Amino acid sequence: MTNEQVVRPNIMAVLEDRGYRSTNSRRSIVHILEDKGSGFTAEEIGRELPSVGRATIFRTLKLLLEMGVICRLNLPDGPPKYSLSRVEHHHHTVCVVCGNVGEFRAATIERLMRTLSNEIPGDVIGHRIELYITCDLCSKENTN
Amino acid sequence: MTNEQVVRPNIMAVLEDRGYRSTNSRRSIVHILEDKGSGFTAEEIGRELPSVGRATIFRTLKLLLEMGVICRLNLPDGPPKYSLSRVEHHHHTVCVVCGNVGEFRAATIERLMRTLSNEIPGDVIGHRIELYITCDLCSKENTN
DNA sequence: GTTAGTCATGGTACTTAGTATCATTAATAT
DNA sequence: ATATTAATGATACTAAGTACCATGACTAAC
Ligand SMILES: [Zn+2]
Ligand SMILES: [Zn+2]
Ligand SMILES: [Zn+2]
Ligand SMILES: [Zn+2]
């Protein structure tokens, strides 16, 4: 399993490279994302940026999603969580206590998925895996 | 990988065993579920039962979910899909063309997940896996 | 079978996540 | 500096689901 240090792209630069304008709203949203990093909801961002319209929050998240710089996780309950993302294929851990989201890659999973596709009826074209965990921080807090 | 024939419990009996009443609305909802089997949305059921209140549809689905006789899948887009379920731990296939939902079990996955939990920071307490496929029916249709 | 108690229902209003519309404003290119 | 066009915020809307409540349907006791 790899959990290497992520070198994240300059998100605003990526936006501009694709022809999108570097606006105040986008900059402030991206700034918050880079601050939070993982496991935030659209609503949380809106709360921290009352001057930015709700529609713009969602528009921007959608844009970043399309560009692959963030992920959206549809969890079993609660609103979807967004998190900054490395670009390559990966999966997620979600702490069931604090809601923090992590990324991980595991060659073993990908190998197994490739194997499975021979045994599943139909053509497997993708997969999605979430691990539910209690993170180290939350485990510690409980034993104090 | 196992994909064994499912022997499904009598859902109404399960409800009654838990002290819930056998009502007209519940019977008609359960009847439709048993008919459809997999990959239906709450809205679809509502459409087929105009005489049953929307709230009751959701209440009943929630109840069946708690009892473990159906699953809800939060897909990357579109409304959640429900499907009848065997009771044991399993995972899902979703056809990206027709939306049909299937269940499967694979000891290899469970073994791998157990292994991963040694390598992931934090305590792994559960997982969720979805395979996105084009099912045999949909593949055939495309080559015609 | 009737009755009493309670559970469940349907209707309505509300919430939450997200989208459509649109007049106004801000970013870019020249 | 100006013109062009993209982006914005406000508002209204949709879709999935929940809260509330007076009415009606089940069930159990008799
Ligand atoms: Zn991710
Ligand atoms: Zn945690
Ligand atoms: Zn299932
Ligand atoms: Zn299909």
Side-chain angles (χ1 to χ4, degrees), chain B residues 95 97-100 134-135 138:
Chain B
C95 175
V97 180
C98 67
N100 212 47
T134 53
C135 71
C138 291

Side-chain angles (χ1 to χ4, degrees), chain A residues 70-71 73 83-86 90-92 101-103:
Chain A
I70 61 172
C71 301
L73 273 113
S83 71
L84 278 184
S85 147
R86 71 183 82 192
H90 62 265
H91 301 289
H92 295 105
V101 174
E103 297 188 354

